[in-house]
């Protein structure tokens, strides 16, 4: 029996945490994720959970706290954004290489500078090579659902990797919308308890965590991490299926919307996907064969699956809420382009950087992208293949 | 999307436009609607212009952008009419609802040619008389509900009473006054 509620994205994540009742939370406040530990600390004060809340002086310490707790065999969580995630950078790698399935709620916000509190994906995308599983939500419902699936994915013995559950700062974190919640007992049964095989403080088989890795073993450790990420894909699919059987809301690696006969398509991540879905419906009503792919899982990257989903289209726009200063596109664009290189058919591809620092993405902006795709199809050329959308001084890309 | 009602709030930091927007989302949710309520965040401080938005619909609202072509606009501070183009993109079949002691026709010339309905409500007078101090968002919320018709007035009053009982659990003496404030505003809002 689901519970009909209205919550912001942050409230939804805090609610999910309460239902799970993890052992430890280490957190330091930063906009726009502050509400998560704030709400959660109220749950603790009210005696609704047994979690040990460790107040720290920085995000570096927040994640260190989680690392210590997980290494000791506990289930640990944190939440952060932007500069907070950047300050965790060193420890992100310690967590993943130590194979500690910490759950981090990342409420995505632009990195400084100029200083900006609004949404883009420059924080989480900067951490894309840190060895964490990354799952993105379109709205508050998905932020909640993804959070409930995080531990069942990350804690599987063949995975044992930390997981970042991302949502768009303010756009979903501070927007109140309808949501369907599961009962507490249903959540507890779905998530289960954390029973690691080996951990630091296990009495009969104590374990060293984070020792030096000499050159003759270091590569094997990295291979094991890479193998775990391969295994994560199957774990994500199975967990998404199991969650669907429970809730009626099924999750895969990405959502392909009206892609069956699509001639042009937009690929994007997060809250913009809802806006793009509405745009696709409008274009379809005009007889234009538009489609949308919403990438849910960025790490592990579903390259082959995406290439397969895009094989029938003539032109695709890949949208990056992040500038990577490579001079030829953003991180999602690079991944999709790379995945298509090995495919047998190659659509024309334009990689847009958009929505930085909270720049709005409206249905009309999405139409602009589809119009550009139609022009590319007509001209049989996607050039310039790297563009910025909605720059006030015109599109400066392709320089 | 004919079944979506989109509302844009203009206020100044500290006046409670965001709170009113969230309360409207709450009341609409309780009456069975799908809702969005969200403010536009930035380097806000007391007195600076702020914007907040509502989408209210019979189906889930997928769009996650600001609202550029609202059906209704609520102006919580009359002085914004000088600096902000509050009726920008506003549907001619909709309405603008302004906190002002003046009659709608006196404000129409300030609205840059807006041809739709102009409504006014003296939120300051009602708030100061009923609540004893200036909280314009409560009367503005009621006026917005009355003019837009997004929630049936009786449903709205019932839902707000529940919401206030929750919000003001620690100071129940203000619940009745706030409800009076809402009722009076719905009765007094002027349509021009």
């Amino acid at each position: 029996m689901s519970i009909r509620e209205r919550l912001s994205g942050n409230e939804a994540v805090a609610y999910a945490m309460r239902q799970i009742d993890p052992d430890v939370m280490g957190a330091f406040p930063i906009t726009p994720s502050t509400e998560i530990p704030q709400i959660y600390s109220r749950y603790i004060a009210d005696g609704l959970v047994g979690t040990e809340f460790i107040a720290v002086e920085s995000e570096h310490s927040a994640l260190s706290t989680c690392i210590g707790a997980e290494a000791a065999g506990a289930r640990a969580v944190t939440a952060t954004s932007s500069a907070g995630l950047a300050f965790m950078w060193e420890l992100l790698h310690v967590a993943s290489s130590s194979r500690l399935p910490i759950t981090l709620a990342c409420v995505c916000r632009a990195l400084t500078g100029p200083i900006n509190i609004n949404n883009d994906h420059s924080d989480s995308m900067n951490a894309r090579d840190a060895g964490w599983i990354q799952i993105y939500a379109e709205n508050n419902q998905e932020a909640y659902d993804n959070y409930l699936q995080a531990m069942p994915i990350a804690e599987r013995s063949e995975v044992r990797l930390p997981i970042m559950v991302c949502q768009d700062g303010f756009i979903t974190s501070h927007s109140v919308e309808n949501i369907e919640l599961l009962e507490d007992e249903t959540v507890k049964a779905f998530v289960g308890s954390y029973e690691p095989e080996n951990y630091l403080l296990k009495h009969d088989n104590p374990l060293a965590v984070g020792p030096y890795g000499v050159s003759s073993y270091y590569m094997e450790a990295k291979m094991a991490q890479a193998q775990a990420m391969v295994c994560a894909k199957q774990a994500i699919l199975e967990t998404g299926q199991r969650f669907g059987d429970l809730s009626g809301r099924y999750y895969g690696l990405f959502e392909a919307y009206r892609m069956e006969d699509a001639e042009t398509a937009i690929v994007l991540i997060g809250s913009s996907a809802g806006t793009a879905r509405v745009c696709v419906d409008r274009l379809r009503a005009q007889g234009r064969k538009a489609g949308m792919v919403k990438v849910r899982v960025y790490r592990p990257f579903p390259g082959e699956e995406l290439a397969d989903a895009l094989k029938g289209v003539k032109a695709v726009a890949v949208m990056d809420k992040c500038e990577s200063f490579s001079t030829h596109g953003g991180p999602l664009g690079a991944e999709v382009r790379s995945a298509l290189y090995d495919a047998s058919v190659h659509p024309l591809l334009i990689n847009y950087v958009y929505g930085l620092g909270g720049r709005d993405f409206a249905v009309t902006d999405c139409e602009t992208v589809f119009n550009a795709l139609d022009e590319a199809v007509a001209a049989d050329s996607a050039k310039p293949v790297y563009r910025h959308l909605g720059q006030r001084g015109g599109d400066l890309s392709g320089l | 999307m004919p079944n979506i009602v989109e509302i844009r709030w203009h206020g100044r930091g500290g006046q409670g436009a965001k709170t009113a927007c969230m309360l409207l989302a709450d009341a609409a949710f309780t009456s069975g609607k799908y809702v969005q309520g969200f403010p536009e965040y930035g380097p806000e401080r007391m007195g600076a212009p702020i914007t907040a938005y509502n989408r209210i619909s019979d189906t889930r609202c997928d769009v996650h952008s600001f609202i550029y072509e609202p059906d209704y606009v609520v102006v919580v501070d009359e002085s914004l009419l000088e600096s902000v183009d509050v009726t920008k993109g506003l549907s001619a079949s909709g309405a603008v609802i302004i906190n002002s002691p003046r009659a709608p026709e006196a404000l129409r010339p300030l609205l840059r040619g807006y041809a739709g309905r102009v409504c006014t409500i003296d939120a300051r007078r009602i708030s100061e008389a009923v609540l004893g101090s200036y909280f314009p968002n409560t009367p503005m919320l009621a006026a917005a509900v009355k003019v837009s018709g997004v929630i049936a007035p009786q449903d709205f009053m019932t839902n707000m009473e529940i919401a206030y009982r929750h919000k003001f659990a620690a100071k129940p003496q203000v619940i009745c006054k706030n409800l009076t404030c809402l009722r009076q505003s719905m009765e007094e809002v002027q349509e021009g």
Side-chain angles (χ1 to χ4, degrees), chain A residues 102-168:
Chain A
I102 296 159
T103 303
L104 186 156
C106 181
V107 183
C108 295
R109 161 187 161 182
L111 283 172
T112 306
I115 296 174
N116 181 291
I117 62 165
N118 297 108
N119 169 246
D120 66 29
H121 297 153
S122 55
D123 51 3
S124 59
M125 283 294 162
N126 261 257
R128 68 188 180 276
D129 295 338
W132 285 56
I133 297 165
Q134 284 192 343
I135 299 190
Y136 290 80
E138 175 187 324
N139 50 34
N140 59 344
Q141 183 74 61
E142 292 190 2
Y144 174 75
D145 291 351
N146 286 346
Y147 198 88
L148 296 183
Q149 291 170 67
M151 291 162 197
I153 294 166
E155 293 171 355
R156 289 208 353 192
S157 61
E158 75 278 23
V159 179
R160 283 185 290 159
L161 289 175
I163 184 165
M164 221 174 270
V165 183
C166 307
Q167 63 170 312
D168 286 348

Side-chain angles (χ1 to χ4, degrees), chain A residues 4-6 117-118 138-141 170-171 174-178 271 274-275 277-278 282 360-363, chain B residues 1 18 22 25-26 28-30 32-39 41-43 60-66 68:
Chain A
R4 187 179 167 273
E5 252 299 352
R6 75 298 207 185
I117 62 165
N118 297 108
E138 175 187 324
N139 50 34
N140 59 344
Q141 183 74 61
F170 294 110
I171 302 173
H174 284 62
S175 176
V176 169
E177 294 187 65
N178 300 53
S271 60
T275 308
R277 195 180 296 110
V278 171
R282 281 192 198 172
D360 200 24
F361 180 72
V363 176
Chain B
M1 296 174 288
K18 181 203 157 183
M22 292 300 178
D26 230 44
F29 165 82
T30 310
K33 299 284 188 180
Y34 282 86
V35 298
Q36 282 183 350
F38 58 101
Y41 281 89
R60 190 169 180 100
C61 312
D62 271 356
V63 172
H64 279 101
S65 70
F66 301 139
Y68 299 94

